[in-house]
Amino acid sequence: MVVNDMIQLTTAVLLNIISFIVYTVNVPFCCLIVMIAVFTTLNTPLNLAGMAVERYIAICNPLQHARICTVRRTYVLIGLIWAFSAIPIVPDLFVLLANVPLSFFYSNIFCSRDTVFNLPYMVEKKNNTHLVYLCFVWLTLFYTYFRIMFAAKATGADARKARNTILLHGLQLFLCMFTYIGPLVESVFTGLFPKFVNDIRFTSYIFVHILPRLISPIVYGLRDQMFCGYFKKHLVCVIQKQRNIRKTPPFKLNCHTRSASLS
């Protein structure tokens, strides 16, 4: 998911820069960037569903976890997730090649999915695909969350931690829903405030592409005990050094002793 989010943010930032600076680009280049952006955007909810299932197996079927969640099956699951993420967008390229004149690919356009893949069939397929994927992921998260919640009442902190993790997954998925309603909201506000088109696009970019990816560092960074230990260790030492520079240390602190206790 980290690799996928890095690719998604890179393409999203590139598209945003192009829309503000260059405005129009060559159609083949735009198709490539848009396909990667759509592919990685759809990948995030499926990754969340797969991770929720793994937590469900680890908490509710701990004796079967080592047998079910092997390294080989994990690679197979990752391959399936990436394949299902590519299914909604790859056929659109072949449909576009078969239905538009060749001169279209030599022109420059404003780079977005709606301007490139704008055939009625593609719009209808996009809406239906989003609905199916979203319902599947939501059902998976709800099922695994309630099963883990019931298990958390009878077990210890591990189940509660898994339950909180899936809650954060649900929040991240909720933010991912802006991907599906973003174009509609953007078109409405653009019609109401035509003088603020660039501001509306930038705000939509923040909500659609940036905010959903901010949850991952919280789930797998700040909530990780080892990371927090090292973070506190270095933070305490930095504060101590700043106080020594100001020559107003309220107390003496041995950073090496503090580091050993935290690690």
Side-chain angles (χ1 to χ4, degrees), residues 159-228:
R160 290 194 295 271
K161 183 178 179 181
R163 180 193 60 186
N164 295 335
T165 300
I166 292 182
L167 271 179
L168 289 174
H169 287 172
L171 175 60
Q172 189 173 9
L173 182 63
F174 175 77
L175 293 175
C176 288
M177 290 176 62
F178 286 114
T179 303
Y180 309 132
I181 65 174
L184 176 62
V185 175
E186 183 178 336
S187 62
V188 171
F189 278 95
T190 301
L192 294 175
F193 308 100
K195 295 182 179 180
F196 302 96
V197 174
N198 290 334
D199 295 334
I200 293 171
R201 287 174 180 168
F202 182 76
T203 304
S204 175
Y205 160 75
I206 295 295
F207 277 92
V208 171
H209 298 288
I210 301 299
L211 288 182
R213 276 81 197 171
L214 290 179
I215 304 298
S216 295
I218 297 175
V219 176
Y220 304 104
L222 297 179
R223 294 180 70 244
D224 184 77
Q225 295 180 356
M226 182 178 296
F227 176 84
C228 287

Side-chain angles (χ1 to χ4, degrees), residues 72-207:
R72 180 178 179 275
R73 290 181 177 178
T74 301
Y75 284 133
V76 172
L77 178 62
I78 293 174
L80 289 175
I81 289 174
W82 285 65
F84 278 105
S85 300
I87 288 176
I89 188 63
V90 171
D92 288 350
L93 178 61
F94 296 99
V95 174
L96 189 69
L97 290 170
N99 288 274
V100 299
L102 189 61
S103 59
F104 174 74
F105 293 94
Y106 291 98
S107 62
N108 291 345
I109 60 171
F110 177 78
C111 191
S112 70
R113 181 175 182 176
D114 293 334
T115 56
V116 178
F117 304 102
N118 57 359
L119 298 177
Y121 152 79
M122 297 178 181
V123 176
E124 188 68 23
K125 184 180 72 67
K126 179 187 71 173
N127 296 333
N128 293 335
T129 302
H130 286 174
L131 180 62
V132 171
Y133 277 43
L134 198 64
C135 290
F136 170 76
V137 175
W138 270 117
L139 289 175
T140 302
L141 286 181
F142 272 117
Y143 177 78
T144 54
Y145 170 73
F146 283 111
R147 291 297 301 269
I148 290 176
M149 184 180 66
F150 293 139
K153 296 180 180 179
T155 56
D158 289 338
R160 290 194 295 271
K161 183 178 179 181
R163 180 193 60 186
N164 295 335
T165 300
I166 292 182
L167 271 179
L168 289 174
H169 287 172
L171 175 60
Q172 189 173 9
L173 182 63
F174 175 77
L175 293 175
C176 288
M177 290 176 62
F178 286 114
T179 303
Y180 309 132
I181 65 174
L184 176 62
V185 175
E186 183 178 336
S187 62
V188 171
F189 278 95
T190 301
L192 294 175
F193 308 100
K195 295 182 179 180
F196 302 96
V197 174
N198 290 334
D199 295 334
I200 293 171
R201 287 174 180 168
F202 182 76
T203 304
S204 175
Y205 160 75
I206 295 295
F207 277 92

Side-chain angles (χ1 to χ4, degrees), residues 57-74:
I57 296 173
I59 299 302
C60 299
N61 297 284
L63 298 179
Q64 303 294 328
H65 181 265
R67 182 181 64 84
I68 297 175
C69 300
T70 62
V71 175
R72 180 178 179 275
R73 290 181 177 178
T74 301

